[in-house]
Amino acid sequence: MPQFPKGELAPADGLIPLRAAVSSIDKTFHAYVHVPYCKARCGYCDFNTYTSEEIGSSSQGTFAQTLLKEIEFSAGVLENSRIPSRKLSTVFFGGGTPTLLPAADLIAILDKLKATFGFEPELDITTEANPDSVDEEYLEQLKQAGFTRVSIGMQSAVPKVLAVLERTHNPENVSKAVSAARSVGLATSVDLIYGSPTETLDDWRQSLQAAIDLATDHISAYSLIVEEGTKLARQIKSGQLTEPDEDMHADMYELAEQMLSAAGFTNYEVSNWSKSVETRSAHNMAYWKSMDWWGYGPGAHSHVGGVRWWNVKNPAAYQDRINAAVSPALERELIDEENRNIERVMLETRIAEGIDLTWLKEKGFASNQAVSELIAEELVDAKEVFRGFITLTLKGRLLADLVVRKLIN
Ligand SMILES: C[S@@+](CC[C@H](N)C(=O)[O-])C[C@H]1O[C@@H](n2cnc3c(N)ncnc32)[C@H](O)[C@@H]1O
Ligand code: SF4
């Protein structure tokens, strides 16, 4: 895999150099809001999130006010960088646990985004939610304010697996949260994780069936990544827990495809299945199509034009910078054309529509030999190649990184 350059220090004014700003011309614009708070930290998670024992609750109380200021700051940066103003095409609240904040805070942030940038018609406005942190009244307020979708962290239906993951939610609350969201008219999605220590194929079948029985519009299934520095990584290193092997991961992925497609879901990205094109995650599609997004909040990543930057992670440091009218960005990287093209291959190859073969060839990727090998190994669909696209087969979805390596070498 290519090594991307390490970040350079981001400038205090946050300005985007003109040579990078021009890449925004043909891109839609999206907002990600990172809410860095959780009631408890799950043993496998290394997202930028804090419990009140870790940082107290003071920054949580002022979080929305600080975030509103970053929205104002971002509008100034875009204008001063001479990037033409664009309405937002999607908004996504992620975390951490966005729904730990009062609904009024999420709504104030959403209203500010609308007043600042305007919204494209029919935009997808999603929040992630933990099953224990939402009820019908809360979700009704979000719906009234314009939210369209809620993505609920289910992870597993099996108590033993939830315990290994150190999820604190009551499994019964998943169906309550999905029913509440549906009853107020929000589209629903659940996230599942497979490949946890001690999880058997039967456990995974049980979780998939439970997710299918919820009759959501969308299901994401992620293979568990053992992140360095997490409690789970330490438990595996010390031999207290054992990771399932690669064959088990592959069997679990194949079972997901088999059960979800039989239940009427279509896979549209390696880890994502949707009941219809309309219920896909438009926000995640924007990431995979390398569109522009501003990531608000501590530790959030942004990608505008040919620049990517990431904010300081600590909520207090983030707040101090915003209050001092200094960019919260810690580091940034200017993405040159070669790296931009490589990233495009890495992301678009994973989408069911595939990636344009003519474009790949123009950029010097996808040699005839590589493409014939990928077809011979049944990693890409031969019929689609003749239509001019590289699209993964089921076997290719299991080995997506290998396919990308072959395409770019
Ligand atoms: C970071 S969480 C935020 C939403 C919410 N707090 C929750 O846990 O549901 C978003 C999703 O990331 C996934 N995730 C987090 N850490 C992961 C890991 N190490 N491996 C695989 N998926 C992970 C989980 O499926 C989770 O639903
Ligand atoms: S609830 Fe979500 S964000 Fe919080 S620690 Fe668990 S997985 Fe991470």
Side-chain angles (χ1 to χ4, degrees), residues 230-244:
T230 57
K231 182 172 173 193
L232 177 69
R234 288 192 292 278
Q235 288 169 315
I236 288 174
K237 218 179 227 162
S238 70
Q240 194 187 334
L241 291 172
T242 314
E243 259 186 290

Side-chain angles (χ1 to χ4, degrees), residues 30-94:
H30 306 260
Y32 171 75
V33 178
H34 187 75
V35 182
Y37 308 108
C38 286
K39 265 209 174 117
R41 178 178 284 280
C42 310
Y44 61 95
C45 179
D46 82 336
F47 278 64
N48 188 43
T49 188
Y50 306 84
T51 60
S52 51
E53 289 92 70
E54 284 166 348
I55 53 162
S57 54
S58 62
S59 89
Q60 198 170 319
T62 51
F63 178 80
Q65 287 309 316
T66 312
L67 205 109
L68 299 187
K69 291 186 196 163
E70 192 189 356
I71 296 174
E72 272 169 30
F73 180 82
S74 69
V77 167
L78 293 171
E79 193 181 338
N80 294 333
S81 305
R82 289 187 270 168
I83 295 181
S85 69
R86 288 164 292 178
K87 291 183 178 173
L88 284 165
S89 290
T90 63
V91 180
F92 192 100
F93 289 75

Side-chain angles (χ1 to χ4, degrees), residues 27 31 101 131 136 145 157 168 200 216 255 266 302 325 394:
K27 290 183 178 155
L101 295 182
E136 194 167 321
T168 53
T200 64
T216 56
L255 183 63
T266 304
S302 300
L394 178 56

Side-chain angles (χ1 to χ4, degrees), residues 113-128:
L113 286 169
K114 186 173 188 181
T116 307
F117 298 110
F119 285 171
E120 290 293 348
E122 295 185 27
L123 82 168
D124 166 4
I125 305 173
T126 300
T127 185
E128 289 181 335

